[in-house]
Amino acid sequence: MKSIVIQKPREIILSEKEIPKPGPREMLIKVMASGICGTDIHIYKGEYLGSYPVIPGHEFSGVIEAIGKEVTRFGVGDRVAIEPNIACDNCINCLNNRQNYCLNWQAVGVTLPGGMEQYVSVPEKAAFSIGELPFEQGAFVEPLSCVIHGVERAKIRLSDCVLILGAGPIGNLILQTARLQGAAQIAVLESNPGRAELARRQSADLVVDRLEDLKPATYDVVIDATGAIPVMNRTMDFVRNGGTILLFGVPPAGKNIELEAFRIFQKELTILSSYTSVRNSFQAVNLLLTGQVKVAPLISHRLPLEEISNAFDLIENHDPKVMKVMILPNG
Ligand SMILES: [Zn+2]
Ligand SMILES: [Zn+2]
C-alpha cells in the first residue's frame, strides 16, 4: 500500500509498505478521505516537538477492512470516522474526565500512524460509526469535535452577539455551531473574499475585512480563530463588559499576547482557551448526519496521496482559493 511519511521537517516521501495487521483490539481502516489540518502543516514545518518520522493525518474516515479478535462494536464494511486522541483512561486526568490532558496521550496521525495512507490500524475505541454520511464529511468529525468543545466552553447564550475572528474551516464551523447555540447576531472578520462569501452564505449577519469596521465593546462572546497575536491582542476592544473571550486559534509557541490587566478587571471578563476535545465525536457525527452543520461547501480541493507536497504548499502559501483540502488515499 502507499503511505506518506514526513521523514523530518520539510522532507516528505511516498513509500510502499505492507498493509498492517490489526492487533486484538484494533481495526484496519481503508482510508477514504483525510483532511489536511494546520497541525499537519506544523509537523511538516518542524514546529512540533514530537519525534519523526510521522505518518500524518488525524482528520479522516473510511471503511473497516478487518477487525481484531476482541473488537465488539464494529464489523467489516462498517463506515467510521476516527477520533485521533487516544487517552490511557488510567491516569489522574483521565480518571477525572479530562482525557484531553491525558498524561500518556497518543494521537493517530501525530504519535501513531495517521490517515495519509491507504490503510491504517486504529484502536476500536477511536472509531465512531458515521452511517451513510459521505466520507469527505466524515473527515470533519475531528475538527468539528474540537469546535463543539470550544463553543460549549464559551457558554454562548440565547440571543448573544458573537464576534468570530477568522473564517477559515475552523472559523466557519464555529459560526455554524454558535448559531445552533442560539446566537442572535454573528459578526465575522475575514479578509479572504472567498471565505467571507462562504461565511455570509453560512448565516453570518455581518462580515468585515478590517477590525476598524466593527463596533467596539459590542459582543457578548469574542472568539479568535486566527491564532494571530495582533488579532488576539484586539479581542478585548470588542467584547462587552461581563463578556467572554475564547482564544481558539493555535498561536505560535513562545509568543505573548498583551491584554491590559486593569481592563480585564474593570470589564469583568472571562478569558478562555480550548484544547482539543473531550468525547465530542457523537455530537459531531449527529450534527453532520442531520445536516445541522454543513461541511460540503468547505472542501476546496480533492487530491490523491501523491499530491500531498503540493497540497501543503498551497496551504502554507495561503493560496486564496484554499479552504479544506481533502486527500483521497484510495481514489
Ligand atoms: Zn486537526
Ligand atoms: Zn490518561
Side-chain angles (χ1 to χ4, degrees), residues 86-243:
I86 312 290
C88 76
D89 299 326
N90 201 32
C91 73
I92 195 71
N93 290 333
C94 284
L95 293 169
N96 205 13
N97 290 321
R98 293 177 171 125
Q99 291 89 341
N100 56 336
Y101 325 132
C102 173
L103 299 176
N104 306 302
W105 171 84
Q106 298 273 333
V108 176
V110 184
T111 66
L112 303 170
M116 294 300 175
E117 52 186 351
Q118 289 185 296
Y119 296 88
V120 60
S121 264
V122 300
E124 178 183 19
K125 70 174 184 178
F128 288 77
S129 177
I130 58 169
E132 293 305 307
L133 189 69
F135 290 116
E136 291 180 352
Q137 297 185 35
F140 281 87
V141 167
E142 193 274 338
L144 181 56
S145 297
C146 294
V147 163
I148 291 168
H149 178 59
V151 166
E152 288 192 337
R153 277 174 65 70
K155 296 198 167 65
I156 295 167
R157 301 186 320 154
L158 280 174
S159 93
D160 269 356
C161 282
V162 175
L163 169 61
I164 300 166
L165 305 166
I170 289 292
N172 187 291
L173 292 176
I174 292 172
L175 163 64
Q176 296 189 59
T177 45
R179 181 65 79 199
L180 292 170
Q181 288 282 86
Q185 286 281 329
I186 304 181
V188 170
L189 171 77
E190 177 56 61
S191 56
N192 173 317
R195 292 178 174 197
E197 177 52 32
L198 189 56
R200 257 180 225 110
R201 275 191 272 137
Q202 301 272 40
S203 89
D205 300 289
L206 171 70
V207 182
V208 299
D209 63 359
R210 307 174 323 145
L211 281 167
E212 290 63 38
D213 298 330
L214 292 166
K215 234 166 105 195
T218 303
Y219 299 93
D220 301 289
V221 180
V222 175
I223 303 177
D224 175 70
T226 68
I229 301 287
V231 178
M232 294 166 97
N233 282 342
R234 298 294 309 279
T235 48
M236 203 155 60
D237 299 336
F238 299 98
V239 70
R240 197 172 252 166
N241 286 17

